[in-house]
Amino acid sequence: MDGEPDLYIGGAWRHASDGGTRDVINPADGSVAGVVDEATPDDARQAVAAARAAFDDGAWRATPVAERAALLDRVAELLQRDKEDLAALETRDTGKTLAESRIDIDDVTSVFRYYAKLVGVDGGDTGRIIDVGNPAVISRVVREPIGVCVLIAPWNYPLLQMSWKIAPALAAGCTMVAKPSEVTPLSTIAFVHLLEEAGVPPSVVNLVQGSGAVLGEALTATAEVDFISFTGGLATGTTISKMAADNVTKVAVELGGKNPHIVFADVRDAGDGDSWAAAVDHVLTGVFLHSGQVCSAGTRLIVEESVADDFVTALAARAETIRIGDGMDPASETGPLVSEQHRAKVEAYVELGISEGAKLITGGARPADPALAKGSFYLPTIFDRCDRSMRIVREETFGPILTVERFTTEAEAIALGNDTEYGLAAGVRTSDAARGERVVRALRHGTVWLNDFGYYTAAAEWGGFGKSGNGRELGPTGLTEYQEIKHIWHNTAPTAAGWFKG
Ligand code: NDP
């Protein structure tokens, strides 16, 4: 960054082969947060070749799991040592508040610790022995590293999303090429320096940053790569899946979401003010945290008709008090959108919502505060009287926009919650535990929160139903994605098969 080489290929830091660079913009004020090298397709091919050679060499995958686990633990320690610097980089790059960036770094740390523990205890899922009825035969199923992995992450949680890939890939014994979003590469560059310091062997982790459209083919349409783990939008995920298909490369895609948050009237009827206040608070946080740039943001409020007016009124009152500002300012509760281009996309969705007949309750504009004029800020926006015919309800806007739909029966709430091509996450608020259990089981989403919203743990799988993707990250499955399964049939007392008699 800023004159230092930023591409890490074959264990060496390099500039781009054509000298290209990119300005990384701080969305809070439009200033240049850093100038980074911009890889060419040839650089990307070299990174893949380095990862291939390192995998085929066999040294890394033969490293005892205890050593790999110790390395992951060292990475976790370094992350905590550099937490403040990494968090500040993430905030300058993405615009999110420093408080949120600090949580991200803690979460990244917990992912490394989790996979260190998972493989460190007994190698993770080491497979199983099968009784084939012949005591001379040892039949066992083992898991082995899948090989060379290409890891592509989005801009909303740059380091966090990348860590969900790098940690299990290292734990499994894979080699890899990481490509962060061109919009937010700073924390990943700093992090790869940490991996080097922690002792990751040369060529095991390679890093290229640059435009996905330019580098995509070199990274994904190649037989040199065994597995592609991608997090990003539906259109890009589809393109990558198609590019990988000719080589039958395994692909796991974590895509977008249009996530329902269902609120039953009983949260108020229960008579305890706490349930009602918590529901309002979680719907608010679920949609407006990080200005809605969260794949699992609860952007669709589906609320029971009898309390809908009061709920929306309470919500709008809170939305109007959200303190928007530069993420580096401790007073800010949410920051800007990630770029001017992205704000333009969000604004187009607000115009669309109005033209579709949704009722604008609050927001729908840039903040008036002149101090925010240089940043890509946008007000928390609520649309009431929405229905499933509206694109604003069906498409991922990835901004601070909440749509409100109403229901009268439990069955209707479930049907609305499932009426989406996505299926990443959903929330349910009810004071009736039996109803809560019925509804969470009926919802077709990868994560469902009951009387809570947004929480996750490194130990539980994350991923989506439907067009929210395939595969899973985190948890034990997040490791097995990076493994191949091999069945070994060992006959310790071989005799002739005896099939052919001649
Ligand atoms: P994009 O799909 O635009 O980009 C994601 C990554 O893919 C970026 O690194 C991008 O690079 C790269 N890319 C773009 N085109 C190609 C290509 N042809 N070949 C290879 N790589 C390519 O998504 P965003 O960055 O805009 O992220 C937002 C999306 O991510 C939302 O849809 C959100 O829901 C989803 N997401 C999903 C999560 C989940 O867990 N399911 C978590 C977080 C986000 P570049 O930026 O350089 O173009």
Side-chain angles (χ1 to χ4, degrees), residues 44-45 48-49 52 148 150 215-228 243-249:
R45 276 187 284 274
V48 170
R52 181 80 260 163
V148 175
V150 162
L215 303 182
E217 192 175 348
L219 292 172
T220 60
T222 164
E224 299 287 284
V225 170
D226 301 298
F227 177 49
I228 300 163
M243 285 200 284
D246 279 346
N247 292 301
V248 200
T249 306

Side-chain angles (χ1 to χ4, degrees), residues 152-157 161 164 179-183 210-213 215-217 219-220 230-237 239-240 243 254-257 294-296 396 398 424 462-463 468 473:
I152 302 176
W155 47 255
N156 60 339
Y157 286 88
Q161 294 296 330
W164 292 11
K179 196 209 88 65
S181 167
E182 62 186 306
V183 186
S211 156
L215 303 182
E217 192 175 348
L219 292 172
T220 60
F230 167 80
T231 303
L234 175 57
T236 317
T239 303
I240 288 175
M243 285 200 284
E254 298 289 342
L255 307 176
V294 182
C295 53
S296 53
E396 187 183 43
F398 226 54
L424 187 61
W462 179 266
S468 287
E473 297 195 290

Side-chain angles (χ1 to χ4, degrees), residues 17 111 282 323 406:
S17 51
V111 171
H282 280 181
R323 291 197 302 270
R406 294 154 183 248

Side-chain angles (χ1 to χ4, degrees), residues 2 37 53 64 72 88 122 137 177 223 232-233 285 343 369 393 409 419 435:
D2 299 339
D37 293 311
L72 295 189
D122 60 0
V137 169
V177 179
T285 314
R343 179 166 66 174
D369 183 352
V393 178
T409 65
D419 186 9
R435 163 181 277 162

